[in-house]
Amino acid sequence: MATDLYVGKRLSFDGQLCTVRYRGEVKGTKGEWLGVEWDDPTRGKHPGEHGGTRYFKCLSKQPTAGSFLRPNRKSDLPRSFVEALKAKYASEDFEDPDVKIVFATQKGKSSVRISGKEVEEVGFDKIRKKLAALSELKIVILDGLCMERPIARKGEGHDAWPEGLTDVKDACPKAIELDLSRNLFEEWREIASICEQLPNLKGLRVDGTRFRDTTLSLAEKKRCHAAFAAIKTLKLENTLLSWPSLTQLTHLFPSLTAFIASQNLYTTLTQLHIPCPTIKDLSLEENLLTDLSALQPLVQLPELRRLVLKSNNISAVATPTSAVPVFSEKVTEVDLSYNEITSWSFIDALQHTFPGLTSLRISHNPLFTTLTTPDTHRPLTPEDGYMLVLARLPLLQILNYSPVLPKERLNAESYYLSLIAKELASAPMAEEEAILKSHPRWKDLCEEYGEPAVRRVEGGVNPNSLAARLMCLRVYRKDAGEKGEKEIEVPKGATAYTVLGVVSKEFGVKPRMCRLVWETGDWMPAAREEVDEDDDWDSGSESGEEDKARPNSVMREVEIVPGTRSIGTWIEGNEATVRLEVK
């Protein structure tokens, strides 16, 4: 009925959901119009304006979310909860509503007639079985079924929804997971009046619903606490509710541990509105957040363990006018994939913002498509990006879903140290302090592995010359004597695969049988244990015997793992000694 079309009314046309945002005349046209915002923002034609006049505002930021429709346009018929349940799980009962079913008695025996023809009752037994099976359903998915519950809406003379309703409990009393997404609900009371009848409910999903009213009286809030008492997982994706409204809803769930609030167009989270303190797993995926300081209210969540920030626009830790957020050490898992991170300073800051971080997903950010070597600025591979993130964050145990092995961390941190040394070697001495400041782990890594030698060459080779692009490798087989030693020149840009192929050909060994190890010439403590001062050694010795073994020390070695990474990123300098080991 046209008289029932008020602002905030939820409607469906040919399966496309929308919300009435305006009712009235439109300049330059005749008659009355409805201004609607489509749930699918690509469905409309404008943002709520016509002829330069704004008639309504859409929640969506898309310029095509709005349309004007005539009030007499026929909309899809709404369903009750039970009707939606039967349509989804016992649809035979609704296949042909025009068929008349007549129960006749012949010779004292009952029979079933449809359109005058006698039929077997086996079909009805199947329907009865399906209806009976509804009471056994534990996972109930009723998304997109034009469902509404006007009996629970606020009306004249009453605020709370009726008590003692049993329609839902009678239909599917054993439900533990319920999906009510993309329906025609307008008030949160409608959701509560359904869940109130399902005491075993553990998970609730109400995505894609544009609520007109989420406010509740004190009595209604008390009923909600009882209705949602057992629910641990709540999903409110793409509702476009404001952050204050969304957080208030979470406080109606006393046992909530996982909360998903994706696709709600949030650019920041207001300071005074904090979600339910029992939340351990929080997802804000596919919003519009640009920096971590926008998450400041979340640092007050005492039980938060996992934070998903995938597919936002995050590029900074904080803005010039905001403070750097510091989360509890309980937050161990963070997902920052598919954002706009472009600087290593952001990666370095993560151990301060998330001091307990042990699991990180950081793939698909611009930073990893622009990696270059610090000296010649040649492109680095995604594998290099993986190693550099690992080296900069000492507590990581899982990176991009891959467990971090001790050998991987050793290689990553050794590689990072060599890159810092290259950066120092290619820059003037005056820039050393600034360079080391950009690598906060320099001191810790030097204490762990020993400070690498920085070989600055005054008036050195032009980095663009052929000499600068070639590397001389002294490759030897320890078990082959002098005949097992060869000098090989390769381009620094050659991959480790290419170098392995050249070496295997020179020594007549199959590539898969070869293992290449770069002997760096740098010495480090053999193990983490205390030694007497008399046993210490001077790394700055002038005896000319830097390359000889020292007491309680071992040479730092780097295995050149076959791959697409260039040899110039494995080995520091233009010359190197490489040991060939045959497996």
Side-chain angles (χ1 to χ4, degrees):
M1 298 287 293
T3 54
D4 297 330
L5 299 175
Y6 47 85
V7 173
K9 175 74 174 177
R10 293 282 287 164
L11 296 170
S12 174
F13 295 95
D14 300 322
Q16 294 286 330
L17 299 173
C18 64
T19 306
V20 176
R21 300 295 184 200
Y22 170 79
R23 181 176 180 178
E25 297 181 351
V26 176
K27 188 176 180 180
T29 67
K30 294 182 180 180
E32 191 177 46
W33 292 89
L34 289 181
V36 302
E37 178 184 357
W38 298 99
D39 287 14
D40 177 1
T42 64
R43 174 71 175 76
K45 296 182 178 179
H46 53 76
E49 61 183 36
H50 176 75
T53 301
R54 169 76 72 176
Y55 290 91
F56 63 93
K57 187 177 180 180
C58 295
L59 295 178
S60 172
K61 298 183 183 299
Q62 296 286 343
T64 57
S67 290
F68 287 107
L69 308 175
R70 288 297 187 183
N72 59 359
R73 179 172 172 176
K74 188 176 180 180
S75 61
D76 300 332
L77 291 176
R79 291 187 176 104
S80 68
F81 180 91
V82 175
E83 288 172 338
L85 186 71
K86 291 179 178 179
K88 179 69 177 284
Y89 294 101
S91 56
E92 290 90 342
D93 201 23
F94 297 87
E95 283 181 355
D96 191 353
D98 296 325
V99 172
K100 293 183 178 180
I101 302 176
V102 179
F103 290 87
T105 303
Q106 293 180 347
K107 298 180 180 180
K109 192 177 180 180
S110 64
S111 64
V112 179
R113 293 178 178 273
I114 298 179
S115 301
K117 296 182 180 180
E118 187 172 335
V119 298
E120 296 181 19
E121 291 190 54
V122 62
F124 293 94
D125 289 338
K126 184 187 287 186
I127 292 174
R128 279 193 289 268
K129 287 180 181 179
K130 283 214 169 191
L131 293 177
L134 296 181
S135 63
E136 299 298 321
L137 283 174
K138 292 188 176 181
I139 299 177
V140 181
I141 301 175
L142 301 176
D143 63 314
L145 291 174
C146 286
M147 197 184 344
E148 66 175 11
R149 197 166 176 78
I151 192 174
R153 291 175 185 168
K154 184 185 293 185
E156 294 183 5
H158 69 86
D159 289 334
W161 63 93
E163 296 188 37
L165 298 175
T166 63
D167 55 323
V168 177
K169 179 175 62 176
D170 293 340
C172 55
K174 296 183 180 180
I176 59 174
E177 291 186 25
L178 179 62
D179 188 343
L180 300 174
S181 303
R182 289 170 287 279
N183 280 292
L184 301 179
F185 301 116
E186 297 176 13
E187 300 182 14
W188 189 255
R189 296 168 185 80
E190 299 176 69
I191 307 300
S193 71
I194 292 173
C195 297
E196 189 176 45
Q197 301 181 46
L198 301 173
N200 300 319
L201 206 58
K202 298 292 189 295
L204 175 63
R205 186 167 191 165
V206 198
D207 301 338
T209 299
R210 305 291 185 264
F211 289 103
R212 173 173 52 84
D213 186 5
T214 58
T215 60
L216 299 166
S217 66
L218 289 176
E220 289 172 330
K221 289 181 180 179
K222 186 176 180 179
R223 287 180 67 179
C224 283
H225 275 87
F228 304 137
I231 293 178
K232 295 183 178 299
T233 301
L234 173 64
K235 296 184 179 181
L236 292 176
E237 299 181 7
N238 192 29
T239 62
L240 304 189
L241 284 170
S242 67
W243 178 250
S245 297
L246 204 70
T247 54
Q248 288 174 8
L249 290 180
T250 66
H251 286 274
L252 302 175
F253 295 77
S255 303
L256 191 62
T257 58
F259 179 45
I260 294 87
S262 306
Q263 302 176 34
N264 282 312
L265 306 182
Y266 297 136
T267 57
T268 189
L269 311 181
T270 49
Q271 293 281 358
L272 300 179
H273 298 91
I274 303 167
C276 178
T278 59
I279 292 174
K280 296 181 179 180
D281 189 334
L282 175 61
S283 175
L284 293 170
E285 184 176 341
E286 294 186 66
N287 280 286
L288 302 174
L289 302 166
T290 59
D291 56 88
L292 297 182
S293 61
L295 308 173
Q296 193 68 45
L298 304 183
V299 304
Q300 301 181 55
L301 292 177
E303 300 299 325
L304 188 62
R305 303 288 196 277
R306 179 174 181 263
L307 181 60
V308 178
L309 301 170
K310 178 182 176 182
S311 299
N312 276 269
N313 297 320
I314 296 173
S315 61
V317 174
T319 65
T321 58
S322 61
V324 175
V326 179
F327 285 79
S328 162
E329 289 188 5
K330 291 182 179 180
V331 180
T332 59
E333 184 177 349
V334 178
D335 188 341
L336 286 164
S337 58
Y338 295 93
N339 276 283
E340 301 297 326
I341 300 167
T342 59
S343 70
W344 286 112
S345 60
F346 184 99
I347 306 297
D348 292 330
L350 290 179
Q351 61 180 325
H352 175 70
T353 298
F354 301 103
L357 185 64
T358 59
S359 178
L360 173 67
R361 192 180 180 205
I362 198 76
S363 56
H364 300 284
N365 275 278
L367 172 64
F368 303 107
T369 62
T370 58
L371 291 174
T372 59
T373 57
D375 51 352
T376 59
H377 301 289
R378 291 190 308 276
L380 297 177
T381 67
E383 181 186 356
D384 296 307
Y386 176 91
M387 294 180 70
L388 292 174
V389 171
L390 185 56
R392 288 171 180 264
L393 300 173
L395 298 181
L396 280 189
Q397 299 174 12
I398 300 174
L399 178 56
N400 295 337
Y401 297 134
S402 297
V404 176
L405 302 176
K407 185 176 181 180
E408 287 181 312
R409 176 160 293 283
L410 173 64
N411 287 340
E413 293 179 342
S414 299
Y415 173 52
Y416 182 34
L417 263 181
S418 70
L419 287 187
I420 300 174
K422 282 185 178 181
E423 187 174 359
L424 291 171
S426 61
M429 182 68 74
E431 297 180 11
E432 180 174 318
E433 183 177 352
I435 291 172
L436 294 182
K437 189 176 181 181
S438 67
H439 300 288
R441 291 213 65 210
W442 165 258
K443 185 177 179 180
D444 291 339
L445 292 176
C446 286
E447 291 179 356
E448 179 76 18
Y449 302 105
E451 185 172 342
V454 177
R455 302 180 178 88
R456 290 187 175 88
V457 180
E458 299 296 335
V461 182
N462 183 348
N464 295 318
S465 67
L466 178 61
R469 295 198 294 269
L470 290 176
M471 177 180 293
C472 181
L473 302 180
R474 175 180 167 267
V475 185
Y476 77 96
R477 279 185 64 175
K478 191 172 182 180
D479 57 347
E482 294 183 0
K483 293 182 180 181
E485 182 178 316
K486 297 180 183 293
E487 285 194 358
I488 300 172
E489 282 193 336
V490 294
K492 288 184 178 180
T495 67
Y497 275 135
T498 302
V499 174
L500 180 63
V502 172
V503 171
S504 64
K505 184 178 180 180
E506 288 287 337
F507 285 87
V509 182
K510 292 182 179 180
R512 67 173 181 272
M513 303 299 293
C514 294
R515 179 174 182 264
L516 301 181
V517 179
W518 170 39
E519 297 180 349
T520 66
D522 298 331
W523 297 87
M524 58 185 181
R528 283 179 171 276
E529 58 183 10
E530 294 184 3
V531 297
D532 295 334
E533 291 184 5
D534 294 339
D535 293 331
D536 200 2
W537 49 272
D538 182 6
S539 60
S541 172
E542 299 179 0
S543 63
E545 297 183 357
E546 292 86 354
D547 295 333
K548 294 183 180 180
R550 299 175 175 85
N552 298 319
S553 63
V554 294
M555 182 185 293
R556 183 171 65 90
E557 296 180 343
V558 176
E559 181 179 354
I560 302 171
V561 180
T564 57
R565 181 174 153 190
S566 63
I567 193 66
T569 64
W570 281 105
I571 295 176
E572 176 186 336
N574 295 325
E575 297 181 358
T577 298
V578 176
R579 184 174 72 251
L580 169 62
E581 296 179 358
V582 179
K583 300 177 185 178

